[in-house]
Amino acid sequence: MRTLRLMAIGGVLAYRALFNWTRPAIFVGTLLVGPLFQLLFFAYLGRQLQVADDRFYVVGNAVLAATLAGVFGGTLAVGNERRYGTLGHVLLSPRSRTAVFLGRALPYAGNGVLIAVVTMTVGATLLGLRFPVGAIPGLLLAMAVGSLACAFFGLTLGALGLRFRDVWVVSNVAVALLLLLTGVNVPSTALPGWMVKIGEFLPITHAASAARDLAAGHGLAAAAPALGREALVGLGYAILAAVLLKVFETESRRTASLETL
């Protein structure tokens, strides 16, 4: 219970301290309005090129919208500690640093679900789409699993901040790769085989597939295998993040480069 309390409270405090937006308008414009315009762009482009229907882009971009909070939030969860000179205080804590940092993924995952829900709701309304009422719980589950996987993926990138100076370049490239390789805007059948293989190991690939099955009315049973694969991807990144944080912490202590920018 102490560990769970540490993860929950520590995650919320870190979210408030490290996920920077000075005014609500910036939060709304960047994380809510931005993904919505991206959805509309790809939906109308898809109509023009006759690649896929509106439902494909609404569901895909709704899941993709969760990546912003997850990837950049996870990076900030570690990178800003180093930037503000408070990383040493965290690492000197007698409590488990693994629990501290993994707990920080939870608020970003919740943030990602909020963004995904808003993007899907507004996008479907503007494009005149309707989803089965019975599919809503399953869609929320798919968004939650995908958002959590993204948050752990972002935390893995953030762990690189203990070793490399400019981790923001890595984060921006990672978001671009998620846009291209996960099949959210380009059908997997149109991608080269090697891109599809890489996409299978990235977050939101399987969450988007599950969400499309649910939106088509196939039921939770049909989407369960994809949800299971997404959960495994998220678990893999959580383990990788914990290992990298431990390894880079030890190396930074050895070379006295813990808070070197």
Side-chain angles (χ1 to χ4, degrees):
M1 290 302 295
R2 287 185 176 181
T3 300
L4 292 176
R5 184 173 180 270
L6 174 66
M7 292 176 67
I9 297 178
V12 171
L13 291 176
Y15 176 86
R16 294 175 60 187
L18 301 176
F19 197 55
N20 305 128
W21 42 280
T22 56
R23 297 187 306 276
I26 295 178
F27 177 89
V28 172
T30 302
L31 295 180
L32 297 181
V33 177
L36 181 60
F37 277 110
Q38 178 175 282
L39 183 158
L40 295 174
F41 170 79
F42 281 107
Y44 284 110
L45 182 63
R47 284 183 183 181
Q48 181 67 26
L49 300 178
Q50 298 181 348
V51 174
D53 59 11
D54 291 347
R55 190 181 301 271
F56 177 89
Y57 293 104
V58 169
V59 175
N61 281 276
V63 178
L64 179 66
T67 63
L68 293 177
V71 173
F72 288 107
T75 304
L76 290 170
V78 181
N80 269 358
E81 292 280 13
R82 189 180 190 188
R83 176 186 177 188
Y84 297 144
T86 55
L87 183 59
H89 298 81
V90 176
L91 299 183
L92 285 173
S93 169
R95 305 303 297 272
S96 169
R97 266 89 68 191
T98 300
V100 168
F101 283 114
L102 291 182
R104 294 184 175 186
L106 302 179
Y108 300 116
N111 201 153
V113 172
L114 171 64
I115 297 168
V117 169
V118 171
T119 302
M120 177 174 285
T121 302
V122 178
T125 301
L126 292 176
L127 295 175
L129 295 178
R130 296 292 183 270
F131 295 104
V133 176
I136 293 177
L139 287 171
L140 290 174
L141 178 60
M143 292 175 185
V145 175
S147 296
L148 192 60
C150 275
F152 286 131
F153 178 68
L155 199 62
T156 302
L157 299 179
L160 300 178
L162 295 181
R163 186 65 180 85
F164 303 104
R165 293 184 179 183
D166 194 357
V167 74
W168 314 113
V169 174
V170 178
S171 297
N172 281 287
V173 171
V175 170
L177 290 177
L178 291 176
L179 176 65
L180 175 63
L181 302 178
T182 56
V184 290
N185 281 311
V186 181
S188 298
T189 54
L191 293 173
W194 64 271
M195 286 189 176
V196 175
K197 290 296 183 182
I198 294 175
E200 291 178 354
F201 294 96
L202 293 175
I204 76 171
T205 297
H206 305 295
S209 176
R212 288 190 176 114
D213 286 338
L214 291 162
H218 295 161
L220 188 58
L227 287 175
R229 290 191 292 271
E230 185 71 19
L232 287 176
V233 170
L235 178 61
Y237 281 113
I239 295 173
L240 180 59
V243 171
L244 289 179
L245 285 166
K246 184 62 178 179
V247 170
F248 290 149
E249 175 191 347
T250 302
E251 180 65 14
S252 297
R253 289 178 186 271
R254 186 184 69 81
T255 59
S257 60
L258 190 63
E259 292 185 345
T260 303
L261 293 176

